[in-house]
Structure formats: structure tokens, C-alpha cells
Amino acid sequence: MALRRIALRDFVIVQALDLDLQTGFTVLTGETGAGKSILIDALQLLLGARAASGVIREGAERTDISAEFDIGPAALTDWLDEAGFPHDELLLRRTIDLQGKSRAWINGLPATATQMRALGEHLLDIHGQHAWQSLTRPDAVRGLLDAYAGVQAQPLAALWQTWREAQKALLHARAAQDTLQQERERLQWQITEVDKLAPSDDEWDELNARHARLSNAQALLDNAQGALGALQGDDAGGALSALAQAQHLLQDYEHVDASFRAFNEVLSACIAQAGDVAHSLQAYLRHAEPDPELLEQLDARLAQWMQLARRYKRQPPELPALLAGWKEALRQLDSATDLAALEAAEQTHAAAYQKAARALSQKRAKAAPQLAQAITQAMQGLGMTGGRFEVQVDKAAEPGPQGMDQVAFLVASHPGMTPRPVGKVASGGELSRIALAISVTTSELGEAPTLIFDEVDSGVGGAVAETVGRLMQQLGRARQVLAVTHLPQVAACADRHLVVSKQRSAAGTTSAVAVADADERVAEIARMLGGQQQSPTTMAHAREMLAGARPATTTG
């Protein structure tokens, strides 16, 4: 996978540029101020760098940058699929207008700057004196060591995620347990209080009925006695005597008129029922009497019902169902969380993660000095004789999805110096050469298929410059390499040579990029050797340099 094409419209001093790129090692050269780094600036902007209206060519309303990449590793297609972008091709585009408003697209669908930056990590790795991506990102540094060690951190990340989920489940359960305990205590207190009353389902109605009878006991007795007197009476003055007399009168003539017999039957039934009532009233009067003590007890119990009903904002008849509901809720709380099972699961997942993390740490620790030695060796040929590179693997403050290690690159650019973090090396030129040494050493291991070097040869010359060119040439066999350079020794080693030039016209100054063919390339190398005034000597030197750098040089 590589960068196949880049197109610019109204970018800085570029009016329009459509450039096809190839694999291998490509250099961009040109006079000072011609805009050799414009392509790199455009790519950085395309891949999520901060947008500003200052990149728009004077007189234009907006700048438009697009690029086409080959689709390659599964990691890239997985990223596109997860982010919701089609992945049968890879076309990126970004526009910026005069108001600084930026818009971006991935395969024709709108994308955020964050997504463009994330995608860029899969596509490009840019090295320059002021543009450091890989060597200052802890995840990229760790990834380079893992690639060199031949290990994969993804399985560990899965174990980490499982462990984290088990931890969260346990923590939530414990937090809930505190809440549940409070709820349990509240329910238990309420249940105990209402259990003292022990209300039954029909008791409230029965209590009210009994209370009504006892509170009206004397009136009931008086009325029962009066009713009994009305039925029985004295001196044949009661209802029963009157009914019996009526029945006797009808019986005397029922043989004359049959209807009297029917009347008599009804009176017989009335007499029998009235007699039963009189008998029941006599029994009632024998046993019924006022009971002030029992009435007081009923008053007290009814008051308890009313008091609890008001406290829990319920109607008295609802108390039995409320108590049953509380008891069921308490039962459910008691069986809601099995902390022992969750603790056991968390411990199991923790042990699995820690075992895998320790194994990964051992492989990293074994590979670290080997990687350091290989990079140190590459540094010796880049003008850093006696320099030393170290890969430091320390225990991280906390375990994470990538393990329990913190990986850092340290370097001492001169003998006797104490190795320091790569990002804190004082010299930009040294930092660039260190990056080149790392890139060459790990060229077959990194993720980004395209490496871009912006003036990495700053401050070197002679044999070191030739070594830089040879290393980039070697690196280009495995990756696509684009390099902005001012050194003819580096340019001569390239598979393809692009020349950046300024063109002045009445409309203003613009920059153009053209592929240098055989003769144009000789002329450009000669210019880099001796300036604008080319001589037979510089031309001959240029041809010799091209022939020596690459016996079968690709010219265009």
C-alpha cells in the first residue's frame, strides 16, 4: 500500500498540481524557497493538522487537497469498516475556505479532523526536524518494539477488557451493596413495626363492625327489648296475639270461601317467622350486654391501624398488602447480589491478564537490547560515531490494555553522553538521523507504508550524506519513501526524482513539480553540486554520482 496520487488546488503558491507517485525512493529537490516542503505540508493538513486560511493561495477563495492511497493491511480496512466508511478504495479530501472553515471526506463521506488524524497513522509516518510523530508517541514506540519482538498485544488487550468489565461489575455490586444494605435496614425496620400490628386481610372491616356494635350496645338492647315487647306484648296486646286472632277468624269460614284458606296459610307463615324472631330476640337479650373494656381495646387497635396508615400514606385496608410487599422486596434484596461469585470472577480474569502481561514483558525485555544494538549500529554510519541507542522498558504506573510496561527510546549522540529521551535530543539534524536509523532498522516492521523525510540530511555532508542516501535507497525497497533533500548524494540514490520550481508571471508566483528525466536529473544534480552556473565539470560529476549511486538508475 502506498500514496498513489496527490492533487492540490490553490494551496500556498500552488495553483494546480496533479502528481502521480510510485513506490520506492522518491526525492524532491529545488532551489531554496521553491516550496520543496509544500507537498509534505499539504499531506499533513489533509491528515488532520490544524487548518488555517493562510494556506489558501492569494486571490483564491479556498484550498482543496486530495490524495489517493492503495488499500492494504487488514488493520486499515478494519478501521474504515468500524468507522462506517466503504473500503473498496481510499480517497481523502479536505477543503479550507477564507473563514478558516474546514471540511473533510473519506471515500466521499464526511469525516472529522480526529478521524483524518487516526487514519493518517495507518498511512504516513513523517520525519523532520520539527515534525515528529512516531518517536514521541508512547504507543508507537511500544508498537515498534513489539513488532521487532514479533509479539501481538491484541490478545492481551482482550484479556484486559474482560478483566476491566469484571472489575466494574464487582465495583458496581459493592457500591450497590451499600445502597441495598440501607434499603434492607429500612425495610426490616418497617416490617418489624407493622408486624407488631400483624394486620390480617379482613381484620379492618371486622374491627369496625365490632366497634360499631359495642359503641351502640345499650341502644341495641333497648331496641331489641322494645321489638320483643311489640311481638309478644302483655294481655294479648302483642303482634303475635293479633296474628293468632286473625288466623282463628279466617279458619271458621275457610270452608265457605276457599280464598280464606290461602289467607290463613300466609298468616301461619307470618306467625311462625315472628315467633322465630321473638325467640332470637330473647336469646340476644340473655347474652348481649355493654362491654366498656372490650370497647376500649377495639378503640386502641383501630388507632394503631390509623396511625400506621397515616405514617406510610396508605388507606388502612391497604396495610396487609403493604406488609406483604415489603417482605417480598426484602427477600429479593437478600438474593440480589452474589458478591462471592463476582469476586471470584474478577480474580480469575486478573490472573489471566497478569500471566499474559508478564509473558509479554519478558519478550519485550529480551528484544529491547537487540533492537537497541541494531539502531546503534545504524547510527555509526550517519555521522554519530560512538553514539548509543537504548530501548528502556520500565514498569508502568498502572497496567493497561498493552501490558504493564512503559517503553521509551533513549539516545546518546556522542560518546560519554548520558542517554536521554529521543524527543529531548538538542540537535534537529541528529534527531532526523536517529529517526532514519530507526526507520531503516524497523522498515519491515512498522505500520505506515509511506515514510516521508523532510530535510533529514540537514547538517551532514560527504560520506555521511552518501550513507543517508544509501539507507533511504535500502528503505525504499520495503516501503514507499519520499524525501525532501538539498544533498546531491541523497538525490542521486533515488528511484525517482521530482524537481520543485517557482514560476513567475503577471498573475504572481506559483510553484510547480515535475518529474526529472535522465538529462533533467543530471542537470538538477549538477545544480545541487555547483549552483546555477553549471559547468562541464559539475555535469560530469553529476553523471558519475548517478552512475555510482545506482548502476541501473530509474530515471522517470
PDB file of all heavy atoms in Angstrom, residues 484-511:
ATOM      1  N   VAL A 484      12.538  15.121   1.090  1.00  0.00           N
ATOM      2  CA  VAL A 484      12.945  16.457   0.647  1.00  0.00           C
ATOM      3  C   VAL A 484      14.407  16.620   1.043  1.00  0.00           C
ATOM      4  O   VAL A 484      14.762  16.439   2.212  1.00  0.00           O
ATOM      5  CB  VAL A 484      12.084  17.542   1.324  1.00  0.00           C
ATOM      6  CG1 VAL A 484      12.611  18.931   0.969  1.00  0.00           C
ATOM      7  CG2 VAL A 484      10.632  17.408   0.905  1.00  0.00           C
ATOM      8  N   THR A 485      15.265  16.922   0.081  1.00  0.00           N
ATOM      9  CA  THR A 485      16.689  16.989   0.365  1.00  0.00           C
ATOM     10  C   THR A 485      17.352  18.109  -0.411  1.00  0.00           C
ATOM     11  O   THR A 485      16.853  18.545  -1.450  1.00  0.00           O
ATOM     12  CB  THR A 485      17.378  15.652   0.036  1.00  0.00           C
ATOM     13  OG1 THR A 485      18.763  15.723   0.398  1.00  0.00           O
ATOM     14  CG2 THR A 485      17.262  15.329  -1.440  1.00  0.00           C
ATOM     15  N   HIS A 486      18.496  18.579   0.105  1.00  0.00           N
ATOM     16  CA  HIS A 486      19.332  19.536  -0.613  1.00  0.00           C
ATOM     17  C   HIS A 486      20.690  18.927  -0.934  1.00  0.00           C
ATOM     18  O   HIS A 486      21.574  19.601  -1.446  1.00  0.00           O
ATOM     19  CB  HIS A 486      19.522  20.808   0.227  1.00  0.00           C
ATOM     20  CG  HIS A 486      20.295  20.570   1.493  1.00  0.00           C
ATOM     21  ND1 HIS A 486      19.727  20.051   2.624  1.00  0.00           N
ATOM     22  CD2 HIS A 486      21.611  20.781   1.778  1.00  0.00           C
ATOM     23  CE1 HIS A 486      20.654  19.948   3.578  1.00  0.00           C
ATOM     24  NE2 HIS A 486      21.811  20.382   3.080  1.00  0.00           N
ATOM     25  N   LEU A 487      20.854  17.647  -0.628  1.00  0.00           N
ATOM     26  CA  LEU A 487      22.138  16.981  -0.849  1.00  0.00           C
ATOM     27  C   LEU A 487      22.119  16.176  -2.148  1.00  0.00           C
ATOM     28  O   LEU A 487      21.263  15.302  -2.316  1.00  0.00           O
ATOM     29  CB  LEU A 487      22.462  16.039   0.315  1.00  0.00           C
ATOM     30  CG  LEU A 487      22.733  16.698   1.678  1.00  0.00           C
ATOM     31  CD1 LEU A 487      22.986  15.628   2.724  1.00  0.00           C
ATOM     32  CD2 LEU A 487      23.917  17.646   1.596  1.00  0.00           C
ATOM     33  N   PRO A 488      23.037  16.432  -3.038  1.00  0.00           N
ATOM     34  CA  PRO A 488      23.093  15.665  -4.286  1.00  0.00           C
ATOM     35  C   PRO A 488      23.396  14.192  -4.044  1.00  0.00           C
ATOM     36  O   PRO A 488      22.943  13.328  -4.794  1.00  0.00           O
ATOM     37  CB  PRO A 488      24.200  16.347  -5.076  1.00  0.00           C
ATOM     38  CG  PRO A 488      25.031  17.048  -4.054  1.00  0.00           C
ATOM     39  CD  PRO A 488      24.086  17.475  -2.980  1.00  0.00           C
ATOM     40  N   GLN A 489      24.154  13.881  -2.965  1.00  0.00           N
ATOM     41  CA  GLN A 489      24.470  12.473  -2.674  1.00  0.00           C
ATOM     42  C   GLN A 489      23.201  11.677  -2.367  1.00  0.00           C
ATOM     43  O   GLN A 489      23.086  10.509  -2.738  1.00  0.00           O
ATOM     44  CB  GLN A 489      25.432  12.380  -1.478  1.00  0.00           C
ATOM     45  CG  GLN A 489      26.800  12.995  -1.729  1.00  0.00           C
ATOM     46  CD  GLN A 489      26.841  14.442  -1.227  1.00  0.00           C
ATOM     47  OE1 GLN A 489      25.834  15.145  -1.268  1.00  0.00           O
ATOM     48  NE2 GLN A 489      28.027  14.870  -0.787  1.00  0.00           N
ATOM     49  N   VAL A 490      22.257  12.316  -1.690  1.00  0.00           N
ATOM     50  CA  VAL A 490      20.988  11.652  -1.366  1.00  0.00           C
ATOM     51  C   VAL A 490      20.111  11.571  -2.607  1.00  0.00           C
ATOM     52  O   VAL A 490      19.527  10.530  -2.927  1.00  0.00           O
ATOM     53  CB  VAL A 490      20.257  12.407  -0.233  1.00  0.00           C
ATOM     54  CG1 VAL A 490      18.865  11.804  -0.006  1.00  0.00           C
ATOM     55  CG2 VAL A 490      21.068  12.367   1.053  1.00  0.00           C
ATOM     56  N   ALA A 491      20.018  12.661  -3.344  1.00  0.00           N
ATOM     57  CA  ALA A 491      19.170  12.695  -4.534  1.00  0.00           C
ATOM     58  C   ALA A 491      19.607  11.669  -5.562  1.00  0.00           C
ATOM     59  O   ALA A 491      18.784  11.075  -6.266  1.00  0.00           O
ATOM     60  CB  ALA A 491      19.181  14.099  -5.135  1.00  0.00           C
ATOM     61  N   ALA A 492      20.933  11.445  -5.680  1.00  0.00           N
ATOM     62  CA  ALA A 492      21.443  10.513  -6.678  1.00  0.00           C
ATOM     63  C   ALA A 492      21.011   9.082  -6.398  1.00  0.00           C
ATOM     64  O   ALA A 492      20.986   8.247  -7.309  1.00  0.00           O
ATOM     65  CB  ALA A 492      22.966  10.595  -6.741  1.00  0.00           C
ATOM     66  N   CYS A 493      20.676   8.761  -5.154  1.00  0.00           N
ATOM     67  CA  CYS A 493      20.301   7.390  -4.785  1.00  0.00           C
ATOM     68  C   CYS A 493      18.826   7.092  -5.014  1.00  0.00           C
ATOM     69  O   CYS A 493      18.385   5.958  -4.823  1.00  0.00           O
ATOM     70  CB  CYS A 493      20.657   7.131  -3.315  1.00  0.00           C
ATOM     71  SG  CYS A 493      22.421   7.139  -2.947  1.00  0.00           S
ATOM     72  N   ALA A 494      18.044   8.094  -5.417  1.00  0.00           N
ATOM     73  CA  ALA A 494      16.599   7.916  -5.521  1.00  0.00           C
ATOM     74  C   ALA A 494      16.206   7.107  -6.745  1.00  0.00           C
ATOM     75  O   ALA A 494      16.896   7.098  -7.763  1.00  0.00           O
ATOM     76  CB  ALA A 494      15.907   9.273  -5.534  1.00  0.00           C
ATOM     77  N   ASP A 495      15.069   6.445  -6.653  1.00  0.00           N
ATOM     78  CA  ASP A 495      14.495   5.748  -7.796  1.00  0.00           C
ATOM     79  C   ASP A 495      13.778   6.737  -8.717  1.00  0.00           C
ATOM     80  O   ASP A 495      13.669   6.512  -9.926  1.00  0.00           O
ATOM     81  CB  ASP A 495      13.476   4.698  -7.321  1.00  0.00           C
ATOM     82  CG  ASP A 495      14.102   3.664  -6.417  1.00  0.00           C
ATOM     83  OD1 ASP A 495      15.148   3.122  -6.783  1.00  0.00           O
ATOM     84  OD2 ASP A 495      13.532   3.401  -5.326  1.00  0.00           O
ATOM     85  N   ARG A 496      13.290   7.820  -8.135  1.00  0.00           N
ATOM     86  CA  ARG A 496      12.538   8.811  -8.903  1.00  0.00           C
ATOM     87  C   ARG A 496      12.854  10.193  -8.361  1.00  0.00           C
ATOM     88  O   ARG A 496      12.953  10.386  -7.149  1.00  0.00           O
ATOM     89  CB  ARG A 496      11.035   8.520  -8.782  1.00  0.00           C
ATOM     90  CG  ARG A 496      10.162   9.170  -9.849  1.00  0.00           C
ATOM     91  CD  ARG A 496       8.778   8.548  -9.792  1.00  0.00           C
ATOM     92  NE  ARG A 496       7.940   8.960 -10.905  1.00  0.00           N
ATOM     93  CZ  ARG A 496       6.778   9.598 -10.765  1.00  0.00           C
ATOM     94  NH1 ARG A 496       6.335   9.904  -9.560  1.00  0.00           N
ATOM     95  NH2 ARG A 496       6.053   9.912 -11.822  1.00  0.00           N
ATOM     96  N   HIS A 497      12.970  11.150  -9.273  1.00  0.00           N
ATOM     97  CA  HIS A 497      13.418  12.484  -8.877  1.00  0.00           C
ATOM     98  C   HIS A 497      12.360  13.504  -9.308  1.00  0.00           C
ATOM     99  O   HIS A 497      12.027  13.622 -10.491  1.00  0.00           O
ATOM    100  CB  HIS A 497      14.759  12.793  -9.563  1.00  0.00           C
ATOM    101  CG  HIS A 497      15.480  13.956  -8.964  1.00  0.00           C
ATOM    102  ND1 HIS A 497      16.850  14.020  -8.910  1.00  0.00           N
ATOM    103  CD2 HIS A 497      15.031  15.100  -8.402  1.00  0.00           C
ATOM    104  CE1 HIS A 497      17.200  15.161  -8.333  1.00  0.00           C
ATOM    105  NE2 HIS A 497      16.110  15.836  -8.029  1.00  0.00           N
ATOM    106  N   LEU A 498      11.827  14.244  -8.339  1.00  0.00           N
ATOM    107  CA  LEU A 498      10.874  15.316  -8.604  1.00  0.00           C
ATOM    108  C   LEU A 498      11.554  16.653  -8.328  1.00  0.00           C
ATOM    109  O   LEU A 498      12.186  16.828  -7.278  1.00  0.00           O
ATOM    110  CB  LEU A 498       9.638  15.187  -7.716  1.00  0.00           C
ATOM    111  CG  LEU A 498       8.871  13.864  -7.782  1.00  0.00           C
ATOM    112  CD1 LEU A 498       7.709  13.864  -6.786  1.00  0.00           C
ATOM    113  CD2 LEU A 498       8.364  13.607  -9.186  1.00  0.00           C
ATOM    114  N   VAL A 499      11.413  17.586  -9.260  1.00  0.00           N
ATOM    115  CA  VAL A 499      12.034  18.894  -9.121  1.00  0.00           C
ATOM    116  C   VAL A 499      10.938  19.930  -8.886  1.00  0.00           C
ATOM    117  O   VAL A 499       9.973  20.025  -9.660  1.00  0.00           O
ATOM    118  CB  VAL A 499      12.863  19.254 -10.361  1.00  0.00           C
ATOM    119  CG1 VAL A 499      13.468  20.655 -10.202  1.00  0.00           C
ATOM    120  CG2 VAL A 499      13.958  18.220 -10.584  1.00  0.00           C
ATOM    121  N   VAL A 500      11.094  20.705  -7.826  1.00  0.00           N
ATOM    122  CA  VAL A 500      10.156  21.760  -7.482  1.00  0.00           C
ATOM    123  C   VAL A 500      10.741  23.093  -7.943  1.00  0.00           C
ATOM    124  O   VAL A 500      11.899  23.399  -7.658  1.00  0.00           O
ATOM    125  CB  VAL A 500       9.893  21.795  -5.969  1.00  0.00           C
ATOM    126  CG1 VAL A 500       8.836  22.849  -5.631  1.00  0.00           C
ATOM    127  CG2 VAL A 500       9.466  20.424  -5.462  1.00  0.00           C
ATOM    128  N   SER A 501       9.928  23.858  -8.645  1.00  0.00           N
ATOM    129  CA  SER A 501      10.430  25.124  -9.176  1.00  0.00           C
ATOM    130  C   SER A 501       9.384  26.214  -9.026  1.00  0.00           C
ATOM    131  O   SER A 501       8.181  25.937  -8.948  1.00  0.00           O
ATOM    132  CB  SER A 501      10.805  24.976 -10.651  1.00  0.00           C
ATOM    133  OG  SER A 501       9.664  24.602 -11.418  1.00  0.00           O
ATOM    134  N   LYS A 502       9.880  27.472  -8.995  1.00  0.00           N
ATOM    135  CA  LYS A 502       8.988  28.623  -8.956  1.00  0.00           C
ATOM    136  C   LYS A 502       8.824  29.183 -10.346  1.00  0.00           C
ATOM    137  O   LYS A 502       9.777  29.244 -11.128  1.00  0.00           O
ATOM    138  CB  LYS A 502       9.570  29.710  -8.049  1.00  0.00           C
ATOM    139  CG  LYS A 502       9.268  29.549  -6.588  1.00  0.00           C
ATOM    140  CD  LYS A 502       9.744  30.759  -5.808  1.00  0.00           C
ATOM    141  CE  LYS A 502       9.395  30.647  -4.333  1.00  0.00           C
ATOM    142  NZ  LYS A 502       9.862  31.837  -3.574  1.00  0.00           N
ATOM    143  N   GLN A 503       7.615  29.588 -10.635  1.00  0.00           N
ATOM    144  CA  GLN A 503       7.336  30.196 -11.933  1.00  0.00           C
ATOM    145  C   GLN A 503       6.679  31.544 -11.680  1.00  0.00           C
ATOM    146  O   GLN A 503       5.673  31.643 -10.985  1.00  0.00           O
ATOM    147  CB  GLN A 503       6.409  29.297 -12.768  1.00  0.00           C
ATOM    148  CG  GLN A 503       7.004  27.917 -13.047  1.00  0.00           C
ATOM    149  CD  GLN A 503       6.024  26.988 -13.725  1.00  0.00           C
ATOM    150  OE1 GLN A 503       4.834  27.282 -13.791  1.00  0.00           O
ATOM    151  NE2 GLN A 503       6.522  25.876 -14.239  1.00  0.00           N
ATOM    152  N   ARG A 504       7.268  32.586 -12.281  1.00  0.00           N
ATOM    153  CA  ARG A 504       6.759  33.939 -12.083  1.00  0.00           C
ATOM    154  C   ARG A 504       6.045  34.400 -13.339  1.00  0.00           C
ATOM    155  O   ARG A 504       6.519  34.171 -14.457  1.00  0.00           O
ATOM    156  CB  ARG A 504       7.898  34.888 -11.740  1.00  0.00           C
ATOM    157  CG  ARG A 504       8.529  34.596 -10.385  1.00  0.00           C
ATOM    158  CD  ARG A 504       9.714  35.501 -10.105  1.00  0.00           C
ATOM    159  NE  ARG A 504      10.247  35.280  -8.767  1.00  0.00           N
ATOM    160  CZ  ARG A 504      11.104  34.322  -8.454  1.00  0.00           C
ATOM    161  NH1 ARG A 504      11.534  33.475  -9.399  1.00  0.00           N
ATOM    162  NH2 ARG A 504      11.531  34.181  -7.216  1.00  0.00           N
ATOM    163  N   SER A 505       4.923  35.049 -13.141  1.00  0.00           N
ATOM    164  CA  SER A 505       4.153  35.591 -14.258  1.00  0.00           C
ATOM    165  C   SER A 505       3.443  36.834 -13.771  1.00  0.00           C
ATOM    166  O   SER A 505       3.560  37.231 -12.604  1.00  0.00           O
ATOM    167  CB  SER A 505       3.137  34.566 -14.763  1.00  0.00           C
ATOM    168  OG  SER A 505       2.155  34.312 -13.770  1.00  0.00           O
ATOM    169  N   ALA A 506       2.700  37.463 -14.695  1.00  0.00           N
ATOM    170  CA  ALA A 506       1.968  38.671 -14.324  1.00  0.00           C
ATOM    171  C   ALA A 506       0.936  38.393 -13.245  1.00  0.00           C
ATOM    172  O   ALA A 506       0.580  39.275 -12.455  1.00  0.00           O
ATOM    173  CB  ALA A 506       1.287  39.245 -15.571  1.00  0.00           C
ATOM    174  N   ALA A 507       0.440  37.153 -13.213  1.00  0.00           N
ATOM    175  CA  ALA A 507      -0.572  36.789 -12.210  1.00  0.00           C
ATOM    176  C   ALA A 507       0.037  36.527 -10.841  1.00  0.00           C
ATOM    177  O   ALA A 507      -0.686  36.387  -9.861  1.00  0.00           O
ATOM    178  CB  ALA A 507      -1.347  35.571 -12.684  1.00  0.00           C
ATOM    179  N   GLY A 508       1.360  36.406 -10.766  1.00  0.00           N
ATOM    180  CA  GLY A 508       2.013  36.151  -9.498  1.00  0.00           C
ATOM    181  C   GLY A 508       2.966  34.980  -9.581  1.00  0.00           C
ATOM    182  O   GLY A 508       3.276  34.467 -10.662  1.00  0.00           O
ATOM    183  N   THR A 509       3.440  34.554  -8.438  1.00  0.00           N
ATOM    184  CA  THR A 509       4.404  33.464  -8.348  1.00  0.00           C
ATOM    185  C   THR A 509       3.691  32.164  -7.997  1.00  0.00           C
ATOM    186  O   THR A 509       2.881  32.123  -7.067  1.00  0.00           O
ATOM    187  CB  THR A 509       5.478  33.766  -7.293  1.00  0.00           C
ATOM    188  OG1 THR A 509       6.140  34.985  -7.634  1.00  0.00           O
ATOM    189  CG2 THR A 509       6.489  32.641  -7.202  1.00  0.00           C
ATOM    190  N   THR A 510       3.990  31.134  -8.741  1.00  0.00           N
ATOM    191  CA  THR A 510       3.429  29.814  -8.446  1.00  0.00           C
ATOM    192  C   THR A 510       4.546  28.790  -8.388  1.00  0.00           C
ATOM    193  O   THR A 510       5.651  29.019  -8.885  1.00  0.00           O
ATOM    194  CB  THR A 510       2.408  29.387  -9.519  1.00  0.00           C
ATOM    195  OG1 THR A 510       3.067  29.347 -10.792  1.00  0.00           O
ATOM    196  CG2 THR A 510       1.240  30.356  -9.566  1.00  0.00           C
ATOM    197  N   SER A 511       4.230  27.668  -7.752  1.00  0.00           N
ATOM    198  CA  SER A 511       5.193  26.578  -7.624  1.00  0.00           C
ATOM    199  C   SER A 511       4.702  25.392  -8.433  1.00  0.00           C
ATOM    200  O   SER A 511       3.497  25.125  -8.489  1.00  0.00           O
ATOM    201  CB  SER A 511       5.356  26.180  -6.153  1.00  0.00           C
ATOM    202  OG  SER A 511       6.295  25.141  -6.018  1.00  0.00           O
TER     203      SER A 511
END
